[in-house]
Amino acid sequence: DGRYREWMLKVKKRDNWKCMISKNDCKGRLESHHILNWVDYHKLRYDINNGITLCQFHHPRKRKDENKLSPYFLKMVAEMK
């Protein structure tokens, strides 16, 4: 999907192509992560403020972890504005 690719690139560009966790243990490729999930938040799918750049190591893989980290990620993105 072209819109997804455009969203992904805008998120990474905004975050200067760096994992926003920014610890020394960053590993793997960079990924654009939907803060509020793709399935439940249709209107936010392509909103760059609903995205954050994370390395593969820091990207949450379980829904439980995503839900726990979402408020933290939303705050990080809001502080970037």
Side-chain angles (χ1 to χ4, degrees), residues 15-74:
D15 295 344
N16 295 313
W17 296 85
K18 293 181 182 177
C19 176
M20 297 310 294
I21 301 297
S22 296
K23 293 186 179 178
N24 294 330
D25 57 357
C26 287
K27 296 179 185 149
R29 73 175 191 271
L30 290 178
E31 300 177 352
S32 296
H33 171 69
H34 282 90
I35 298 170
L36 299 174
N37 74 59
W38 170 272
V39 174
D40 297 329
Y41 295 89
H42 300 276
K43 292 181 180 181
L44 297 175
R45 285 183 175 175
Y46 303 110
D47 181 339
I48 70 163
N49 293 317
N50 185 38
I52 191 165
T53 304
L54 300 171
C55 68
Q56 203 171 16
F57 180 76
H58 287 116
H59 191 175
R61 298 289 174 211
K62 297 177 183 170
R63 180 77 62 193
K64 179 178 85 173
D65 294 336
E66 285 182 349
N67 293 336
K68 185 172 99 177
L69 293 169
S70 289
Y72 173 67
F73 292 154
L74 286 170

